[in-house]
Amino acid sequence: MTWLPPSLRALRRDVFFLVLLAVSVALAIAWPSRIAAWPSLVDWPTIAALTGLLILTKGVESSGALDMAGRWLIDRTSTRRVAALGLVAATAVLSMLLTNDVSLFVMVPLTLSMCRIARMPATRLVVFEALAVNAGSMLTPIGNPQNLFLWQQWNNGFGGFVWEMLPLVAIALTLLLALTALAFPAMPLEVHERGGEPVDRTMLGVAALLYVPFIVLADLQYVGWGLLGVVAIFLALRRRVVASIDWGLLLTFVLMFIDLRMLAGLDAVRSFVAGLGLEHAPHLYITGALASQVVSNVPAAILLAEYSHDWRTIAFGVNVGGFGFVLGSLANLIALRLLGERKAWATFHVWSVPFFVVIGLLGWALL
């Protein structure tokens, strides 16, 4: 097994992956006739986009540019609290303009480099950045996949969507920044590394030049061609980058799509959802928030759209549902996998679950 990439070998100790695998085995035993349809349950454009982003961000990380950027930020930041507020706010704003996962691919490696240099608590900071992308991405139709789906489903206008989501986002971000200020002390930053390796300008240049075209191709529904180009170029120039990405994360996502869509498509699940009184906004909101904890907020949005046309309430519910348990949003899983620390799962829930409860109640009040 030594020939496998380290990320795949590590899956033997990944509890979340093993649970997903066990569910897949159980589903295969219960409904063997549906196994042939499993590939169609996977959102392959999402997997392709995720693969391309992993390669490009790994290229930037391996170039040494993030270490250089981390030192630059440390030289201009006075305390841990100021640094944390700046990183959390930047992550939230970036998620409004791009998407929640792209924001994490940019900010988490930068944060890890900065924390290593200044010995800041990386686990807590990345957890807060995960909360930040869930809060910030609620605002715009392009901020996350569930918003994009709802926007396209009802063609409700970019500005109209932003206006409806603005009150909830303003409250969530205000509370998150206040919580960040409390969670990080006003201790001076201390640099424990000087100098560093020189930047691999070739790798950095290739990753930077490919980033925007890849995002554009993905947006135009040509993500497969974009991925092919990225893989070909990196195999020719820096093949170790392709080998070192988190292949375990990709396999975990594939299992998530299969398991969650199989479960969401069961007649018993659909009958249960149909009997929840979703014609009432409070019921619809609660169902969206709680269903996201079980099947993630994107499948929850797709499922609820078949029972109600109240897109605003659905958007409120499934976006609030991105907080809470790690499964509430795929962005949570991406953040924790990029962090790569097992203790982060417990730390995430210590902060995210209470935040979910508070934002959930405030979202209820805004209905």
Side-chain angles (χ1 to χ4, degrees):
M1 299 290 287
T2 56
W3 56 272
L4 287 174
S7 63
L8 290 179
R9 295 200 301 269
L11 290 177
R12 294 176 297 176
R13 301 182 300 275
D14 190 323
V15 176
F16 185 67
F17 171 81
L18 293 175
V19 170
L20 290 174
L21 184 61
V23 172
S24 298
V25 172
L27 291 172
I29 294 173
W31 293 282
S33 61
R34 300 185 183 181
I35 295 177
W38 281 13
S40 64
L41 299 177
V42 180
D43 191 333
W44 293 111
T46 297
I47 298 298
L50 183 58
T51 305
L53 289 169
L54 283 172
I55 295 172
L56 292 172
T57 53
K58 178 60 72 172
V60 174
E61 180 183 352
S62 300
S63 72
L66 294 178
D67 284 345
M68 182 180 68
R71 291 185 179 87
W72 185 90
L73 288 172
I74 289 171
D75 290 341
R76 289 157 178 80
T77 306
S78 57
T79 67
R80 289 185 177 184
R81 179 176 295 161
V82 173
L85 285 169
L87 290 170
V88 169
T91 304
V93 172
L94 196 62
S95 69
M96 300 174 188
L97 304 176
L98 300 175
T99 60
N100 50 9
D101 52 355
V102 172
S103 303
L104 289 171
F105 281 121
V106 173
M107 295 301 298
V108 172
L110 173 61
T111 300
L112 294 179
S113 294
M114 185 173 177
C115 288
R116 184 178 63 253
I117 296 169
R119 294 186 184 176
M120 290 179 62
T123 299
R124 182 181 299 178
L125 190 48
V126 172
V127 165
F128 271 72
E129 289 178 341
L131 298 178
V133 296
N134 285 321
S137 67
M138 291 193 291
L139 182 63
T140 67
I142 60 174
N144 54 50
Q146 65 270 18
N147 282 3
L148 183 61
F149 166 75
L150 295 171
W151 180 45
Q152 294 295 312
Q153 182 80 0
W154 277 283
N155 192 25
N156 40 30
F158 193 101
F161 192 103
V162 170
W163 180 254
E164 294 291 349
M165 298 302 295
L166 184 59
L168 180 62
V169 175
I171 291 174
L173 288 180
T174 299
L175 288 178
L176 179 59
L177 292 175
L179 188 61
T180 303
L182 292 174
F184 293 87
M187 295 173 54
L189 288 178
E190 298 179 6
V191 179
H192 294 273
E193 292 184 17
R194 295 292 181 183
E197 298 294 327
V199 175
D200 185 340
R201 297 184 182 276
T202 299
M203 188 185 300
L204 176 62
V206 168
L209 289 174
L210 291 176
Y211 195 86
V212 172
F214 179 77
I215 294 295
V216 171
L217 287 173
D219 187 57
L220 296 176
Q221 310 300 317
Y222 294 111
V223 67
W225 290 107
L227 176 60
L228 182 62
V230 167
V231 170
I233 292 172
F234 271 91
L235 285 178
L237 296 176
R238 298 288 191 277
R239 64 178 59 190
R240 73 177 187 276
V241 170
V242 178
S244 62
I245 69 171
D246 193 345
W247 292 102
L249 175 62
L250 296 173
L251 187 55
T252 299
F253 264 61
V254 169
L255 284 181
M256 283 185 66
F257 278 119
I258 294 172
D259 290 354
L260 297 180
R261 287 182 168 174
M262 280 286 291
L263 293 172
L266 295 178
D267 291 338
V269 173
R270 299 179 70 86
S271 297
F272 174 77
V273 173
L276 292 176
L278 301 184
E279 66 276 9
H280 304 293
H283 294 186
L284 181 62
Y285 173 77
I286 294 174
T287 301
L290 295 181
S292 298
Q293 304 301 299
V294 181
V295 299
S296 190
N297 50 15
V298 178
I302 295 172
L303 179 64
L304 293 178
E306 298 187 20
Y307 298 91
S308 174
H309 295 286
D310 185 357
W311 70 266
R312 177 180 178 270
T313 301
I314 295 175
F316 268 43
V318 298
N319 277 295
V320 167
F323 305 106
F325 294 116
V326 67
L327 197 58
S329 171
L330 297 182
N332 299 334
L333 180 61
I334 290 174
L336 297 182
R337 291 290 301 221
L338 289 174
L339 177 60
E341 292 186 12
R342 297 178 67 180
K343 66 177 182 179
W345 293 71
T347 303
F348 175 84
H349 290 102
V350 166
W351 295 100
S352 185
V353 171
F355 197 81
F356 166 68
V357 173
V358 174
I359 295 299
L361 292 175
L362 292 172
W364 171 290
L366 289 174
L367 289 178

